Amino acid sequence: MRRNPQIVKLVFSLLLISLLMAIPATVITMSYRNAILSELQTRAAIIAANAEVVISQDIDSYRSLVQVDDYERESYDRDYYEQMNALLKRIQEETKADFIFTEKWIDSQTVAYVFDGTDPEHPDFSPIGQTDAMQAVERDAFIQGVHAVTKLIEDPVWGAYITAYAPIIDPADHTVLGLVGVDFSAESLQSLTKRMNTIVFLSFFALIVLTSVGMVHAMRVIHKASFTDYLTGLASRRYYNRRLHALVHSGAAERHPFCLLMLDVDWFKEINDSRGHAYGDTVLVDIANAIKHNTRATDVCSRYGGDEFVILLPDCTEVQAYRFAERILRAVSELRHKTDSGKNLTVSIGLAVWEPGVGENTMMDRVDEALYRAKAQGKARIVVYEDNSALDTRRHYRNQGE
């Protein structure tokens, strides 16, 4: 199947525009995502710091709790433990954090959970004493006693998340009793960026659609401008040449021969010089309308240049072409345009019939020769090219009873 080059160009242009627009859309989306990530890190750090302040208000109870080695065998203050879990649970719900917990040091690779704000019935709840692997950021927070926040990291157990740590420091000896941890998961980040991603996508999609519509409209305007004569509305010379070339080389002419008519306005220079170019343009438009009204919809009527017109008549015999030419000749004479010297405005018409093996250049030469002879023989007539000579068809067809 033959591809339309204009459609191919349009599709390629739209793909290119979409690709180019995807770049700023991606940059905006990533910038917004990074901003949200930074905001979540700050929020997590503030929540962790506030939770640490709350826990430190009863540091003695917390110190006693973390000093227990085996929570299953040894006794500890369960009321205090449950009270603090309930408090962290409330903070977790109010701040929309995914997890709030405290942990203590076991060794350089391991921590044990103490408090957990997750519902005890939830599968992600970590009971007191449950151990977990220690991350490098946690280790630094324990050793240095400083606040710390991770980037978005992937954990094989907990998934992707960011965590802020706040050290719980014993004021008596300034030792780190544990860390408060606050988690925000990747799902939290995604939920916060989802709306903006949708807005960015819809905005750029709308921009692409508007650009596409504009391009299609522009291409139609350009296409029409390149194939339409700006003054008369007839086909342009470029479009006529393309149709003539296609007809000659498509093989259709072998089955359905065609004819050409070439018209030239008689006395047009005199009208232009005496009446002005604006009036001359009016004359050309009137003649173009006369041509359109006396030809078929399948015919290609073109302004070939200046005051010269050419008509491609597909699937048309010589006799039929002559009759079209005669109608145009009569219609133009009825326009009643006159020169200052009183001459009626007329046209001279050359007619050429396609023959097998004749190319478009030869056809144009023949119809031009016929037109030349029509002008030379006195204007306002139709001359057909035949056997390397141009004959006055009015006499030719009258003798045949046509």
Side-chain angles (χ1 to χ4, degrees):
M1 183 176 64
R2 186 176 179 183
R3 294 184 177 90
N4 188 320
Q6 297 297 330
I7 295 179
V8 173
K9 289 180 181 178
L10 177 60
V11 172
F12 177 78
S13 299
L14 293 180
L15 289 175
L16 182 60
I17 289 174
S18 299
L19 178 61
L20 293 175
M21 288 187 175
I23 295 174
T26 302
V27 171
I28 291 174
T29 301
M30 291 303 297
S31 298
Y32 181 76
R33 181 180 183 276
N34 291 336
I36 292 296
L37 179 61
S38 177
E39 194 274 335
L40 282 179
Q41 289 173 317
T42 302
R43 188 191 303 180
I46 293 173
I47 296 170
N50 289 336
E52 180 272 326
V53 170
V54 172
I55 294 171
S56 295
Q57 290 176 356
D58 191 0
I59 196 67
D60 293 334
S61 296
Y62 190 77
R63 183 191 308 111
S64 299
L65 192 61
V66 298
Q67 288 175 348
V68 175
D69 293 326
D70 190 338
Y71 292 98
E72 292 184 356
R73 297 180 180 179
E74 299 180 39
S75 62
Y76 60 91
D77 190 342
R78 291 183 178 273
D79 291 338
Y80 170 70
Y81 169 72
E82 293 175 359
Q83 177 187 350
M84 294 306 297
N85 274 356
L87 178 60
L88 293 187
K89 182 175 182 294
R90 188 166 70 250
I91 296 174
Q92 180 173 309
E93 292 173 348
E94 292 176 354
T95 59
K96 308 297 184 186
D98 288 286
F99 298 103
I100 299 179
F101 57 90
T102 67
E103 60 188 25
K104 68 177 184 177
W105 176 287
I106 300 298
D107 57 45
S108 62
Q109 302 297 323
T110 312
V111 295
Y113 291 106
V114 182
F115 297 145
D116 190 345
T118 306
D119 190 320
E121 301 300 323
H122 195 280
D124 289 334
F125 175 75
S126 298
I128 189 169
Q130 178 177 310
T131 59
D132 198 358
M134 183 186 295
Q135 303 290 337
V137 175
E138 290 174 273
R139 189 179 302 111
D140 291 341
F142 267 114
I143 295 174
Q144 300 176 24
V146 295
H147 294 254
V149 183
T150 69
K151 297 179 180 178
L152 187 65
I153 59 176
E154 185 74 35
D155 186 271
V157 176
W158 302 105
Y161 60 91
I162 61 171
T163 305
Y165 296 103
I168 304 171
I169 300 175
D170 189 339
D173 56 9
H174 302 291
T175 58
V176 177
L177 298 176
L179 299 178
V180 177
V182 177
D183 288 346
F184 280 103
S185 66
E187 287 75 14
S188 297
L189 176 63
Q190 184 177 0
S191 66
L192 291 172
T193 58
K194 183 177 181 180
R195 183 178 179 184
M196 177 55 69
N197 290 342
T198 302
I199 293 173
V200 171
F201 171 78
L202 292 178
S203 298
F204 277 89
F205 179 77
L207 186 58
I208 290 172
V209 170
L210 291 175
T211 303
S212 302
V213 171
M215 285 187 61
V216 170
H217 177 71
M219 290 189 69
R220 285 179 178 174
V221 171
I222 294 171
H223 183 271
K224 184 177 180 180
S226 63
F227 289 143
T228 306
D229 179 65
Y230 73 96
L231 176 63
T232 63
L234 296 179
S236 66
R237 179 171 179 170
R238 177 183 179 186
Y239 179 73
Y240 164 80
N241 288 336
R242 178 175 291 189
R243 287 291 303 274
L244 176 61
H245 177 84
L247 188 58
V248 169
H249 294 278
S250 67
E254 297 284 351
R255 301 184 301 274
H256 306 286
F258 66 90
C259 297
L260 295 183
L261 298 179
M262 182 173 280
L263 294 69
D264 187 83
V265 183
D266 301 326
W267 323 114
F268 186 70
K269 185 177 185 303
E270 184 177 337
I271 288 177
N272 250 351
D273 291 345
S274 60
R275 300 285 188 91
H277 290 285
Y279 185 79
D281 287 347
T282 301
V283 170
L284 293 177
V285 171
D286 288 345
I287 292 174
N289 290 331
I291 292 173
K292 285 188 286 188
H293 292 154
N294 290 279
T295 51
R296 304 166 298 180
T298 54
D299 301 330
V300 181
C301 305
S302 168
R303 182 186 177 200
Y304 203 64
D307 61 333
E308 203 168 62
F309 299 85
V310 65
I311 306 170
L312 172 59
L313 302 164
D315 192 15
C316 185
T317 65
E318 180 179 336
V319 174
Q320 291 171 325
Y322 167 74
R323 288 173 178 164
F324 284 125
E326 193 172 43
R327 292 175 192 169
I328 295 171
L329 198 70
R330 186 183 307 114
V332 172
S333 66
E334 292 173 353
L335 293 175
R336 305 302 182 187
H337 288 295
K338 292 180 179 292
T339 66
D340 278 356
S341 60
K343 300 184 185 74
N344 287 325
L345 184 72
T346 57
V347 291
S348 298
I349 304 177
L351 188 157
V353 182
W354 180 83
E355 298 173 352
V358 176
E360 62 259 36
N361 291 334
T362 302
M363 280 294 293
M364 290 304 299
D365 289 341
R366 289 182 175 184
V367 75
D368 187 61
E369 174 65 20
L371 174 62
Y372 173 79
R373 291 183 178 273
K375 301 285 282 189
Q377 291 174 16
K379 302 180 175 63
R381 66 189 62 222
I382 307 164
V383 171
V384 62
Y385 183 92
E386 186 175 335
D387 296 330
N388 296 323
S389 63
L391 303 177
D392 186 331
T393 54
R394 291 186 297 180
R395 182 176 66 253
H396 178 66
Y397 283 106
R398 187 180 301 114
N399 292 340
Q400 295 187 34
E402 295 292 348

